[in-house]
Amino acid sequence: MILWGNLPSCAQSGIMTVLFLVEALSFCALPVVWSHKGNRAERILLLLSALVSFALLSLLAVCMELLIVDKPITPLGHWMMELPAAAVAAVLAACVVSLVWALRDEQAYRKNTVTRTSIKESMDNLPTGLCFAAPSGIVLLSNRRMNGLCLAITGEKLQNAEHFWQALCRKGSDEGGHPVLHLPDGTVWTFSRQTLGQREDTVVQFTAADTTQLHGLTDQLREQNQELAAMNARLRKYGASVDELTRSRERLETKARIHDQLGQTLLATRHFLCQEEGDPAPVFDQWRRNISVLRLEAELPAEPPPLKRFLDAAQSAGICVDLEGALPARDPARQVILSAAAEALTNGVRHAAATRLRIQISRRPEVYVARFTNNGHPPQGEIAEGGGLGSLRRRVEQMGGTMTVASSPAFVLTISLPQERGDVL
C-alpha cells in the first residue's frame, strides 16, 4: 500500500493543486446555491465538500511546509505522512463529484427557472427596444437595443429615460403621440411611452419598434393613392367629355332627323308638283308637322327603322328602289350605307330626273362594298363633291373605308367599309 509520504513531490503537488481548485470553486458556488431555494441536500453536500477540501488541503500544506523547512514532525504530521494515498485520492474524488453534481444541478436550475439573469438576457435578445424607468427618469432596466438606439440618436448612453424621451419628441415626427425617427442606416423606429402601476409603485415603460417595412408600405400606398386620384381626375374629365359628346351627338341626330324629314317632304312636294293631278292633303300634313317641330310646338314622330324610312322617302319622291343584298347587321357600317343611299337618291332626283335607284351590297373578305346607280340622265361632266358627297366621304374615310364617284358613262357611287367581328348579312 502506497502511503502519502512515499508519493513523489510532483504527485503530491498535483493532488494539492486539484484540492485547491475544488475548494475555490466550492466556496465560489456556495453563496449562489445557498441564495435560492434549491435542493437542501445539494447545499449541505456542497458545504461539506468545501470544508473537507479546505481541511485536507490545510493539513497537507502544513506537512509539506514542515518537510521543506526541516522542522520536527508532530504526531499529526506522522499520521498524515502514513495516511494511504488511496484514501486521499478517494476524498479528493468525492469532493470533485460533489462539486460537479452541484454545478450541474445549478445549471439545470438556472435553465428551468426564471431568474434575474434570464430576464435580462431575454430582454437583450428582443428585436424591439425596451426600457423601464422611474418617474424621475432613472433607468431601472434597459436592453441592448434601446441603449444602441439612444447612442445612435443622441450620441450618449442611456442614463435618463425622460431626457431621452424629450430628445425623441424634438427630433422625430409626431404620429399620434408617438415619435418616429429615420436613422442614418435607413431604418425607421417608432417610440412609445406608457405609465405602469399607481402611486409609489409607478414605473414608466419606453418601447421602440422597427416600423421600416410599415412605413415603406405606407409610402407605397400614398403613391398609389396619388395615382388613383390623378386617374379619377382624368375619368371625371373624360366623363364630362363623354356627356358633352353624347349631347352633341343627340343634337346632331336630331338635326339629321329634321333634315331627313324636310328632305322627304321636299321630295314629296316636288313629286306632287310634277304631277297633273293628285291629292295635296298628305303633302300639307307633312309641312304642318315639320313647321310644328321647327317651332318647338311638337316632337319629332317616332323614328321608323332606318331602311323603312329610306324606302318611304324614295316612295314619296316617286323612286323605285332595287335592293340587292342585305345591309350590315350593326352600326356604323349600316348607317353609312343608308346615308350613301339617301345621298344617291337625292342626287338622282335633283340632277338626273331618275325614277329607279339600284343598290348592290356585297360582302367581300373583311369589307362591305355598296354600289349605287340610277336610270336618270348621265352627268354632263365631272361631278363636284359638295356638302353631301363631301360629308359622306369624310364619314367613310373615318371608318377606314374608301369612296369613289364615277360620272362616265353613267353615275356610279361605290363605297367600301371594313367589317366588324360578328357582322352578318
Side-chain angles (χ1 to χ4, degrees), residues 218-244:
T218 303
D219 294 339
Q220 183 179 359
L221 181 60
R222 186 181 300 109
E223 294 177 358
Q224 292 178 355
N225 288 336
Q226 293 175 354
E227 294 177 358
L228 289 175
M231 184 181 298
N232 288 334
R234 291 194 299 269
L235 288 176
R236 286 193 295 269
K237 185 177 180 180
Y238 175 74
S241 301
V242 169
D243 292 340
E244 180 61 27

Side-chain angles (χ1 to χ4, degrees), residues 53-95:
S53 60
F54 174 74
L56 182 60
L57 179 63
S58 299
L59 293 175
L60 294 178
V62 170
C63 292
M64 290 191 67
E65 181 181 4
L66 293 176
L67 291 176
I68 293 173
V69 298
D70 197 16
K71 289 183 178 181
I73 300 177
T74 62
L76 180 60
H78 281 288
W79 180 79
M80 289 296 303
M81 296 297 293
E82 294 177 356
L83 190 66
V88 177
V91 173
L92 177 61
C95 293

Side-chain angles (χ1 to χ4, degrees), residues 252-272:
L252 181 60
E253 290 178 353
T254 302
K255 292 177 181 179
R257 291 181 59 188
I258 294 175
H259 178 273
D260 292 343
Q261 292 290 336
L262 288 174
Q264 184 176 354
T265 303
L266 289 172
L267 290 176
T269 303
R270 180 188 180 95
H271 180 66
F272 172 75

Side-chain angles (χ1 to χ4, degrees), residues 180-233:
V180 178
L181 278 87
H182 297 257
L183 299 187
D185 58 358
T187 58
V188 181
W189 291 86
T190 301
F191 296 83
S192 61
R193 181 179 183 274
Q194 183 180 5
T195 302
L196 307 177
Q198 296 178 354
R199 296 180 181 177
E200 65 275 2
D201 296 332
T202 300
V203 176
V204 182
Q205 174 182 316
F206 299 88
T207 57
D210 186 357
T211 55
T212 305
Q213 185 177 5
L214 178 61
H215 278 76
L217 294 176
T218 303
D219 294 339
Q220 183 179 359
L221 181 60
R222 186 181 300 109
E223 294 177 358
Q224 292 178 355
N225 288 336
Q226 293 175 354
E227 294 177 358
L228 289 175
M231 184 181 298
N232 288 334

